Amino acid sequence: MMMKANPNKMRRSALAVLTTAALLSAVACASGNAPDRETVEKPGSKVTVVENKQESVYDTGLEIDKVSTLEGVRGQEWLDEERIVAMAPNAEQPPTATEGEQRQPFNLYIRAVAEGSELETLQASPSDTGFAALSPDKKHLFFKKTEEATGFGRILNLETGAVTELDNIHIPATEGAWADDSTVIFPTLEGELMQVDLQGKATVVVKEKDKFIRGLAVSGATWYYIAGENQTLFAYDKETKEKKAVAEGIDWVVPSPDGSRLALVKRSGQAGVKLVLSDAGGAEQKELASGTQIFGTSWSPDGQTLAYSLSAEGVEDQGLFMSEAETGKQTSLVSTRDLAGDAVRWSPSGKQLMMTTSSYGGQGIEFKTTIVRFKDQ
């Protein structure tokens, strides 16, 4: 007699595969000439300043001022031009066994990007907490108390410190987006797209039968998500309550700031991906990049440039890149031996970029955050 598959078990297996890169950021085996650098050590921090010898990164005149690396932190969001929200091991908490290793739990902190800055605790916990998303008005932070690839949602009021706990909803650790200043959306392991208000009231918005939902992105009244074996991109209109299929074979979707275009990471062949631009309906306009992996695609605030982490076959084709949306001109910003699984983040002004990578070191997986600062125009 044929045994019936357990849908929840299948979803958990799929989730583990889909989030491995984002959780651990696998290490790339590459080599090349390292840029000139100077390491400055101060109490509680170590910052690596990399001398950049590339004069201009693209024709509009944007030039790199310097590249700094914040060791031991996993950058999440920009609070403002000078501070980020980051994950880091909490040395004051006892170590716990995680995936067969003993380590301190990761907690959330505020970290100034200036050299010599120390961590300011946001949430201290004996459990792993992180994968944070900042509300558009920067007053609340959505994050998770995590258990490997899944977790339970939390909404932190940054002004009062009050936390709303969502302990009855099991969600993927890396998912979740703000629909507006007071509404968070995320998928569940049961194929549901849910919305939650600041008080924790949850409502099911979409139910995809036997489909795992992931890759949420918000563009005004349109909520994008990916579901099904064909990795179908859907667009849900929260006003009309209607959904439609936009494209297939999609790994990630990132709407432009004005919502007129989509940056799509698509499957290409058996082992490749490509970054393409489309209109809001999924009609492709141009290809911007291709490789074995493309992570963390992010639009600049003015909607003119896309930044992303790229891994390809060539030794030099790994690291942080940017492409102009109109011309397709691609430029390498930072070369690295490591791969990034987190989103690349532009600062509010568009004058800085943040990329987080990881590598295997003496203490297991070690994270670092790279800040690219551009010269004032």
Side-chain angles (χ1 to χ4, degrees):
M1 182 175 68
M2 182 177 295
M3 296 183 65
K4 187 176 180 180
N6 185 323
N8 285 336
K9 185 175 181 181
M10 293 175 66
R11 290 189 187 100
R12 288 176 183 272
S13 298
L15 177 64
V17 171
L18 290 169
T19 60
T20 296
L23 290 168
L24 301 181
S25 298
V27 182
C29 297
S31 61
N33 295 326
D36 295 338
R37 64 186 65 209
E38 176 186 0
T39 301
V40 180
E41 296 196 41
K42 297 188 178 183
S45 67
K46 181 169 71 172
V47 178
T48 304
V49 180
V50 183
E51 180 186 349
N52 184 73
K53 297 182 178 180
Q54 183 173 334
E55 288 299 321
S56 177
V57 295
Y58 59 156
D59 291 340
T60 56
L62 190 61
E63 297 181 20
I64 293 177
D65 184 12
K66 70 175 181 179
V67 181
S68 302
T69 301
L70 312 180
E71 302 284 352
V73 299
R74 185 174 186 177
Q76 303 281 282
E77 290 269 22
W78 288 90
L79 273 177
D80 50 43
E81 288 297 315
E82 304 300 330
R83 300 176 301 160
I84 63 172
V85 175
M87 296 167 58
N90 189 339
E92 297 181 357
Q93 295 289 338
T96 59
T98 304
E99 297 181 347
E101 296 182 355
Q102 290 284 329
R103 63 166 177 79
Q104 262 77 31
F106 273 74
N107 286 176
L108 285 170
Y109 298 87
I110 293 175
R111 172 67 153 86
V113 297
E115 298 171 17
S117 300
E118 297 184 357
L119 296 171
E120 175 187 340
T121 304
L122 262 179
Q123 280 285 293
S125 172
S127 304
D128 284 332
T129 56
F131 300 104
L134 192 64
S135 62
D137 62 5
K138 299 185 183 296
K139 293 182 179 180
H140 293 86
L141 194 70
F142 177 64
F143 66 99
K144 295 93 176 178
K145 172 186 174 183
T146 59
E147 300 172 354
E148 296 184 356
T150 63
F152 298 97
R154 301 282 189 270
I155 300 175
L156 170 65
N157 186 318
L158 292 172
E159 294 178 343
T160 67
V163 177
T164 300
E165 299 182 351
L166 310 173
D167 280 343
N168 60 334
I169 308 173
H170 217 180
I171 64 177
T174 59
E175 291 287 351
W178 288 88
D180 52 47
D181 291 335
S182 59
T183 308
V184 176
I185 62 173
F186 52 77
T188 69
L189 300 184
E190 287 70 42
E192 299 167 329
L193 174 58
M194 301 193 76
Q195 67 176 29
V196 176
D197 64 19
L198 298 179
Q199 289 71 46
K201 181 182 178 181
T203 306
V204 176
V205 178
V206 174
K207 174 70 175 179
E208 291 286 354
K209 185 178 180 181
D210 297 329
K211 292 179 181 179
F212 176 72
I213 294 177
R214 66 175 187 85
L216 294 183
V218 174
S219 180
T222 303
W223 300 350
Y224 294 96
Y225 65 90
I226 299 164
E229 294 182 358
N230 294 330
Q231 296 178 243
T232 302
L233 174 64
F234 291 94
Y236 172 79
D237 190 315
K238 72 172 184 177
E239 295 178 350
T240 65
K241 313 298 182 186
E242 297 179 348
K243 71 170 186 178
K244 63 179 180 180
V246 175
E248 290 189 349
I250 306 300
D251 277 358
W252 312 104
V253 57
V254 188
S256 63
D258 66 1
S260 65
R261 291 180 290 187
L262 302 176
L264 302 174
V265 177
K266 301 185 62 175
R267 291 281 107 193
S268 177
Q270 294 184 345
V273 293
K274 60 182 179 179
L275 174 63
V276 300
L277 281 185
S278 77
D279 63 19
E284 292 187 20
Q285 298 171 336
K286 62 169 64 73
E287 180 178 326
L288 296 179
S290 61
T292 53
Q293 294 288 351
I294 297 174
F295 285 121
T297 307
S298 180
W299 287 90
S300 60
D302 61 10
Q304 296 183 12
T305 308
L306 283 143
Y308 48 91
S309 300
L310 172 70
S311 175
E313 293 297 332
V315 170
E316 297 180 356
D317 296 331
Q318 298 187 113
L320 178 62
F321 286 74
M322 62 165 49
S323 291
E324 295 177 24
E326 296 303 323
T327 67
K329 178 181 175 63
Q330 182 191 63
T331 303
S332 173
L333 298 178
V334 177
S335 296
T336 176
R337 296 170 181 264
D338 308 327
L339 291 182
D342 295 341
V344 175
R345 303 285 187 185
W346 293 84
S347 68
S349 69
K351 295 180 180 179
Q352 298 183 87
L353 269 175
M354 173 172 64
M355 175 183 69
T356 298
T357 60
S358 67
S359 59
Y360 288 98
Q363 303 299 318
I365 297 174
E366 299 174 353
F367 290 94
K368 62 184 177 182
T369 296
T370 300
I371 305 293
V372 178
R373 183 176 301 165
F374 301 106
K375 294 179 180 180
D376 292 333
Q377 299 300 300

